[in-house]
Every structure is written in structure tokens, then in C-alpha cells.
């Protein structure tokens, strides 16, 4: 895709050049938005780095995280006083309101309590997805958020991704005719799945949640966004844990990669995933394994120690994972459109792919921000490439190929302008309900009637 990129180096702008360039493109923000960070783990970095790179748009004024080195890292970045760098978010919630918004990036199971506490104090919320791992808690949160003046944005970042916006424009233009089918695939990637859903935080339903909610609530929400006002009426799902289990373990394999005599032939080896390439700094996914930067022997030594004893050095066939490594979701909409969404671990690709078929044309997208959207016209029997005219302001593209930036930018503008329409919480809640319905279908072998 023909998208211009503005260089801000390694996510740390040294002057206002990039911010000024972005203001020339997007228009200046009416005022600075202040934020507190609730949970300073990996996902929070996406949002507080926005404040570093665009200080006229966002300023972090407090942080809470139980891990000292994480909260102190944020405190140092923003020069925060000690009393606003705390272990327990409840300390911040007990203080007088000090910021426009709270960024809720606690673990998935711990979203509801801080979200409700801070919105009751009058904070706008940027709430990491999923809203909650419990459907009951999602219902409670939706009722609590309903009718309030505060803005609540769930981090369904693909709604703000320029190619996804362009696809909706094409659908609504009528160029494809009536939409008959959508085939959408979430290619997780074999190493990414091993990292996050076999060894990592989202590996176990009891300790976290099922993989469709953890990974693909993005995708269900995106499909709903593309379908506009048309509602899904039926949903069905199949899938399971096919490969990452003891019965698939190679003969002679050890329980840890560093001790394994067959490690060289394993594509999921921790040594291959984490120790190949540049290991001098804690970049994702290595930063999830170990984010300590001050080891006396350097970061690679700290990373190696973490892999030697921690969960990310375990054999993928000897973990306590139980989430699906493949799953399909079939949806039927009120107008007769059918949609198939596939979640797949077994691919080298880590991007989504989409085919949308209408009565007058077909659209294909490879999930990236670099390449164009392909549209084939049945009447003209010609194909064209649709380039997007929105601009991503960073060589790093932030997370999700730039979508994280556009979400944070839209959220801060919504607060500054008092515009709740930019971040529709009702739509995010509806897509969560569909994901829970899909999982019920998979577990119970049913077709769920939803009307959402």
C-alpha cells in the first residue's frame, strides 16, 4: 500500500518535528489529554509511548503496577513523583481525579474492577481487549458504562486501521454489489502461537481465557464493523487443540529446550524463537520473556537465564496449555450474507487475510499496510489496486501494523473534542457477545441464535 512513513527513529522522538508533521496531516489537537497507566506491562507500552512521541496530544501523570521495575520505568520516562508511582491501582483510585483518562492494561482477568472504579471517578477509559474474560462481567461493565458521559474505548484497534477503514468505504460505495460471502483468516504464526498460547500468558483457559476471545475478538469485531448495520443472527464454531500436547511429543524429547536432544529439529524450539538474531535489547517477543535491562552481563545473559528456568523455555508438548490451536467460526447475517472466520496457528505468516465476494465484484486484502487492496470488477472484467491515502507517522508502524497508533490518536481526539461517536462501546460489547456465543457453539456442538 502506498503509505508514506515519517521517521521517528526507535520510538523516541528528540524534538517536535514528527508531532508537527502529523498535526499538518491530521490537524492539531484542541488540547493535551492527561492519562494514568493502570498496569505497566507490554501492552501499556504502546499507549504511553504515544505520549513520549506526541507530548502535545497526551501526557502520563501517574502509573500503577505491582512490579517495581515496570512502574519505575514509566515513572522515570515521565518524571513522575514517587507518590504517583504505585504498586496498587487502588491507591490512585482513592485520590482525587488527576487526569482525563485511565488506560486499563492489567491482565485480562483483572479488567473489570479498575475499569468500574475509575469511570465512577469520572475518568474516560482506554480499555484493553477483551473487556473481560467473563461474559457475566462484560454484561456488568456494559450496564455500568451505559448512559455515562465518559468515553470508553475498547482496544479493537483494527477499527482504526486505514486499510480496514478503506475496505468499509469500498463496501458502502456499492462497488462490490451486495456482499454475499466473507472469508477472513487470522494467521497467528507457528512461533507466535507457541510464544503466546502454548508457553505464554494466554495458554490456559482457567488462568486466562479461550484463544478465540484472547486473539480473535479483534476479527469478529472487524467483521461486524465491515457489515455495518446488518446483524448476525446465527453463529457456529468448530476447533480444538490439535498439536501442542503430550501425545504429539517427539520421541526422546526433554521437558525443556535447553536440555533436549532433538531440539535442532523442532520448529518451536525456544532457542530458535528467542536466541537467534539480535538479543542485545528487550524487544518483543523477547521482552515478554525478560524485560530486565540492567543485568551485569547484558540482556542476552538475562534472557538466557529466564529461558533456562521460566515458562518460555519449556517444551511446547509439555506445557499446561489447553486453548485451541485452530478454530473456525461460521456466521449468518440477517440479509443472508455468510461469513467464515478461521484462526490458524500453523502458518509462517503473522498477518490476516480477507476475501469479500459481492454480486458485482471481489475484494482481496493480505492484511498489511504496505500493499494495496485488490478489487476485481465483474462488469469491466478488470482488477485494480486501491491504495490508502492515510499516513502512518512511524517507521516502527507501532503495533498491529500501525493500527495501535490510529486507535490512540482517535481516542485522544475524542476526549479533547468530547466526541463519543469516535469510540462506540456498544459495538465492542456486541462483538464480545458473539465471541462468547461462538465458543458455546464449539463446546456444546450447537448453532447459536444470537440476533446481534
Amino acid at each position: 500500500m502506498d503509505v508514506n512513513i515519517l521517521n521517528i527513529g526507535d520510538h523516541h522522538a528528540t524534538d517536535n518535528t514528527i508531532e508537527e508533521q502529523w498535526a499538518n496531516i491530521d490537524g492539531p489537537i484542541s488540547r493535551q489529554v492527561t492519562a494514568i497507566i493502570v498496569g505497566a506491562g507490554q501492552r501499556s507500552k504502546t499507549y504511553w509511548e504515544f505520549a513520549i512521541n506526541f507530548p502535545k496530544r497526551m501526557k502520563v501523570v501517574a502509573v500503577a503496577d505491582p512490579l517495581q521495575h515496570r512502574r519505575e520505568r514509566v515513572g522515570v520516562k515521565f518524571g513522575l513523583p514517587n507518590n504517583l508511582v504505585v504498586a496498587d491501582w487502588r491507591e490512585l483510585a482513592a485520590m482525587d481525579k488527576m487526569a482525563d483518562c485511565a488506560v486499563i492494561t492489567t491482565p485480562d482477568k483483572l479488567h473489570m474492577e479498575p475499569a468500574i472504579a475509575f469511570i465512577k471517578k469520572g475518568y474516560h477509559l482506554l480499555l484493553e481487549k477483551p473487556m473481560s474474560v467473563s461474559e457475566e462481567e462484560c454484561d456488568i461493565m456494559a450496564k455500568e458504562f451505559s448512559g455515562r458521559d465518559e468515553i470508553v474505548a475498547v482496544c479493537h484497534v483494527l477499527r482504526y486501521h486505514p486499510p480496514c477503514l478503506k475496505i468499509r468505504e469500498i463496501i458502502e460505495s456499492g462497488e462490490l454489489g451486495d456482499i454475499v460471502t466473507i472469508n477472513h483468516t487470522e494467521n497467528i504464526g507457528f512461533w507466535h502461537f507457541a510464544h503466546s498460547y502454548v508457553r505464554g500468558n494466554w495458554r490456559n483457559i482457567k488462568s486466562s481465557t479461550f484463544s478465540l476471545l484472547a486473539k480473535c475478538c479483534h476479527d469478529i469485531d472487524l467483521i461486524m464493523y465491515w457489515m455495518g448495520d446488518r446483524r448476525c443472527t446465527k453463529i457456529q464454531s468448530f476447533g480444538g487443540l490439535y498439536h501442542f500436547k503430550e501425545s504429539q511429543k517427539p520421541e526422546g524429547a526433554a521437558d525443556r529446550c535447553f536440555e533436549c536432544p532433538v531440539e535442532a529439529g523442532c520448529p518451536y524450539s525456544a532457542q530458535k524463537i528467542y536466541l537467534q538474531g539480535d538479543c542485545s535489547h528487550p524487544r518483543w517477543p523477547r521482552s515478554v520473556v525478560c524485560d530486565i535491562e540492567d543485568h551485569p552481563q547484558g540482556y542476552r545473559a538475562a534472557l538466557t537465564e529466564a529461558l533456562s528456568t521460566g515458562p518460555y523455555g519449556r517444551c511446547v508438548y509439555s506445557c499446561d496449555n489447553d486453548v485451541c490451536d485452530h478454530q473456525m467460526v461460521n456466521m449468518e447475517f440477517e440479509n443472508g450474507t455468510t461469513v467464515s472466520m478461521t484462526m490458524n496457528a500453523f502458518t509462517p505468516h503473522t498477518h490476516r487475510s480477507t476475501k469479500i465476494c459481492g454480486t458485482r465484484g471481489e475484494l482481496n486484502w493480505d492484511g498489511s499496510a504496505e500493499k494495496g487492496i485488490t478489487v476485481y470488477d465483474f462488469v469491466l472484467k478488470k482488477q485494480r489496486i486501491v491504495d490508502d491515502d492515510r499516513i502512518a507517522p512511524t517507521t516502527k508502524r507501532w503495533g498491529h501494523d500501525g493500527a495501535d497508533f490510529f486507535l490512540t490518536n482517535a481516542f485522544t481526539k475524542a476526549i479533547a473534542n468530547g466526541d463519543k461517536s469516535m469510540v462506540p462501546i456498544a459495538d465492542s460489547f456486541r462483538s464480545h457477545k458473539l465471541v462468547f456465543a461462538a465458543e458455546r457453539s464449539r463446546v456444546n456442538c450447537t448453532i447459536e441464535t444470537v440476533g446481534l
Side-chain angles (χ1 to χ4, degrees), residues 73-350:
R73 177 179 60 182
V74 177
V76 169
K77 291 284 187 184
F78 294 97
L80 304 179
N82 291 338
N83 67 312
L84 297 181
V85 180
V86 301
D88 192 334
W89 61 263
R90 294 171 184 83
E91 295 181 54
L92 299 181
M95 299 178 189
D96 292 339
K97 183 173 181 283
M98 68 185 77
D100 293 304
C101 67
V103 179
I104 309 295
T105 46
T106 52
D108 295 348
K109 293 171 72 74
L110 303 177
H111 283 177
M112 185 178 77
E113 188 180 358
I116 291 177
F118 282 105
I119 201 169
K120 284 184 175 180
K121 296 283 287 192
Y123 289 87
H124 303 292
L125 299 181
L126 184 62
L127 177 62
E128 186 54 78
K129 62 87 185 170
M131 293 172 61
S132 171
V133 300
S134 158
E135 187 171 10
E136 180 182 3
E137 286 191 356
C138 286
D139 291 339
I140 293 170
M141 294 166 78
K143 290 178 182 178
E144 189 66 46
F145 299 157
S146 178
R148 300 190 68 99
D149 292 332
E150 294 83 10
I151 294 168
V152 181
V154 177
C155 297
H156 282 137
V157 300
L158 296 178
R159 282 179 174 262
Y160 306 89
H161 194 24
C164 298
L165 297 172
K166 181 62 71 175
I167 289 172
R168 176 156 169 165
E169 289 178 14
I170 294 169
I171 291 172
E172 292 183 343
S173 74
E175 182 177 359
L176 302 176
D178 296 334
I179 304 305
V180 182
T181 65
I182 298 177
N183 293 284
H184 180 81
T185 300
E186 163 61 297
N187 299 295
I188 300 176
F190 68 96
W191 63 267
H192 184 185
F193 193 89
H195 168 73
S196 295
Y197 303 97
V198 180
R199 297 180 173 113
N201 294 335
W202 296 277
R203 67 186 181 273
N204 185 279
I205 294 173
K206 185 175 181 180
S207 63
S208 179
T209 188
F210 54 99
S211 53
L212 189 71
L213 182 64
K215 185 59 176 167
C216 291
C217 64
H218 271 318
D219 302 275
I220 298 297
D221 183 73
L222 180 60
I223 290 165
M224 295 295 287
Y225 171 69
W226 284 335
M227 290 299 292
D229 294 334
R230 296 172 286 274
R231 295 290 179 250
C232 176
T233 55
K234 295 178 183 178
I235 195 164
Q236 177 190 43
S237 184
F238 302 96
L241 177 59
Y242 182 89
H243 185 63
F244 299 102
K245 51 190 176 182
E246 193 72 30
S247 62
Q248 297 282 345
K249 190 173 184 176
E251 184 177 354
D255 289 341
R256 301 196 68 86
C257 293
F258 281 8
E259 305 159 0
C260 185
V262 299
E263 176 273 332
C266 179
Y268 309 104
S269 161
Q271 297 189 59
K272 292 184 176 70
I273 294 174
Y274 303 113
L275 293 178
Q276 291 183 350
D278 180 13
C279 297
S280 59
H281 300 287
R283 296 186 177 93
W284 190 89
R286 298 181 183 96
S287 58
V288 178
V289 180
C290 175
D291 61 358
I292 297 173
E293 301 184 54
D294 56 355
H295 191 284
Q297 297 177 22
Y299 179 70
R300 185 183 180 92
L303 176 64
T304 302
E305 289 178 8
L307 291 170
S308 298
T309 59
Y312 291 93
R314 293 182 296 179
C315 173
V316 293
Y317 305 103
S318 298
C319 295
D320 59 342
N321 60 298
D322 61 2
V323 301
C324 294
D325 55 20
H326 69 294
Q327 189 165 352
M328 296 185 68
V329 177
N330 299 317
M331 307 166 67
E332 184 177 74
F333 283 75
E334 59 188 358
N335 65 330
T337 300
T338 55
V339 176
S340 175
M341 196 287 296
T342 301
M343 178 187 75
N344 179 30
F346 305 102
T347 172
H349 305 297
T350 56

